[in-house]
Amino acid sequence: MMSKESLKQLKESLTKHFKENGIKNALYYEPLFDYYWKQNDKIGLCNLESYDKKIQGIQKISVKRILDYWSNAQTIQKSLKIFRAINWKLENESSYISEEIIKEFDKTEWEKSIEEMGCGLYFNLRLTIGNQVNEDKRGITEFYNDSFYIDYFKKFIKVSEIKMLIITGETGVNIINKIYPELKLEWSDEMQAKINDGILFCPMQHPSRISYKKIAEDLNYFFDLYFENTRSAK
């Protein structure tokens, strides 16, 4: 798998950059499960940053870390439900998901549903560790003042073979516009999505704030566009 190997090579350049710039604690992201690479529809969910003071060194995101340290966080809990909804949409292409269907996901225990995240790629914009619980807008923005990370992000998306990228939060949308200035995404309550270089970019409210109703509405809109552009192309 060339893309899987390319992602490993990209990680090596990232850790080298961390070392050269004195960054000691950070996360890097890869698919949680190998079956990601076998899927035709690779979907990415990009949140903002990790606040996890227990991270020492340069660590790879893992199922164990999510279950042991992050599972009580609203952001990751809601992110999992978004991935479960994505799975549902991919299995029911001709149907619309509803708020009621997403509410049913609450009945499943975390440990039994974590593999649902394997349908896509979960990651954060900022790879270094945040120093506050609330969103560090300044820290996230300053991270991308280093052009290395802009180039890294573009390569990461490409070698991960992502076809739809969901970007959460106003800060997330602003950073994506910085990375891809040609996109010109707008932060708005109105649903929108734009295709760039074969990838559908989809802004969404941050998981810590979004309702089940809005998740359903957004995903139905995103997948209408996605299926129209991918299925008709076959």
Side-chain angles (χ1 to χ4, degrees):
M1 296 180 185
M2 286 302 296
S3 290
K4 186 177 180 181
E5 183 60 34
S6 297
L7 194 57
K8 289 182 179 179
Q9 293 172 4
L10 192 59
K11 183 263 291 185
E12 291 172 2
S13 71
L14 176 67
T15 52
K16 181 173 181 286
H17 189 76
F18 284 154
K19 184 176 181 180
E20 291 173 347
N21 287 271
I23 296 172
K24 296 181 179 179
N25 303 319
L27 276 172
Y28 67 92
Y29 295 85
E30 294 180 0
L32 291 171
F33 301 95
D34 275 345
Y35 66 79
Y36 168 88
W37 296 107
K38 299 177 182 179
Q39 299 179 112
N40 291 322
D41 302 297
K42 296 182 177 68
I43 315 295
L45 176 63
C46 179
N47 288 332
L48 299 176
E49 61 183 339
S50 167
Y51 175 77
D52 186 346
K53 290 301 182 182
K54 295 185 179 181
I55 292 174
Q56 297 294 317
I58 310 302
Q59 300 286 331
K60 174 185 171 181
I61 188 64
S62 66
V63 170
K64 179 174 173 54
R65 178 160 298 280
I66 291 174
L67 289 175
D68 290 352
Y69 299 112
W70 293 5
S71 57
N72 289 326
Q74 186 177 4
T75 294
I76 198 73
Q77 289 180 6
K78 198 72 74 68
S79 296
L80 175 59
K81 292 182 179 69
I82 292 171
F83 275 117
R84 296 200 69 190
I86 288 170
N87 262 341
W88 191 96
K89 284 294 297 180
L90 291 172
E91 293 170 359
N92 301 272
E93 292 190 14
S94 60
S95 301
Y96 286 126
I97 195 165
S98 65
E99 178 182 6
E100 289 69 31
I101 291 172
I102 297 175
K103 284 181 178 178
E104 286 294 309
F105 298 158
D106 287 333
K107 298 178 181 179
T108 306
E109 294 179 9
W110 249 92
E111 291 79 0
K112 295 179 180 178
S113 58
I114 190 68
E115 289 191 10
E116 299 260 4
M117 294 185 79
C119 73
L121 181 55
Y122 175 83
F123 60 103
N124 283 307
L125 274 171
R126 181 182 178 185
L127 306 179
T128 50
I129 308 305
N131 57 12
Q132 60 189 50
V133 176
N134 295 327
E135 175 189 336
D136 183 3
K137 185 180 296 186
R138 181 177 178 180
I140 299 167
T141 302
E142 288 181 350
F143 183 77
Y144 281 92
N145 287 341
D146 184 341
S147 61
F148 172 88
Y149 296 117
I150 290 179
D151 185 58
Y152 171 84
F153 187 95
K154 290 180 176 178
K155 290 177 179 176
F156 177 80
I157 297 300
K158 185 173 183 180
V159 301
S160 299
E161 300 176 352
I162 287 174
K163 295 182 179 178
M164 178 199 293
L165 178 60
I166 298 171
I167 314 104
T168 69
E170 182 177 6
T171 302
V173 170
N174 290 337
I175 296 298
I176 290 297
N177 281 333
K178 184 174 184 176
I179 297 171
Y180 302 95
E182 66 276 16
L183 264 179
K184 296 181 172 62
L185 293 171
E186 296 180 7
W187 179 247
S188 169
D189 288 335
E190 298 294 323
M191 289 180 287
Q192 63 169 316
K194 291 185 179 180
I195 296 175
N196 183 61
D197 195 24
I199 303 163
L200 184 66
F201 289 83
C202 308
M204 179 183 268
Q205 290 178 10
H206 191 266
S208 63
R209 300 174 183 174
I210 196 169
S211 67
Y212 290 169
K213 182 174 183 291
K214 192 72 168 69
I215 291 173
E217 290 174 349
D218 282 356
L219 289 182
N220 287 328
Y221 175 79
F222 298 156
F223 274 97
D224 275 352
L225 293 173
Y226 179 75
F227 291 145
E228 179 182 344
N229 284 279
T230 58
R231 303 309 190 249
S232 60
K234 292 182 178 179

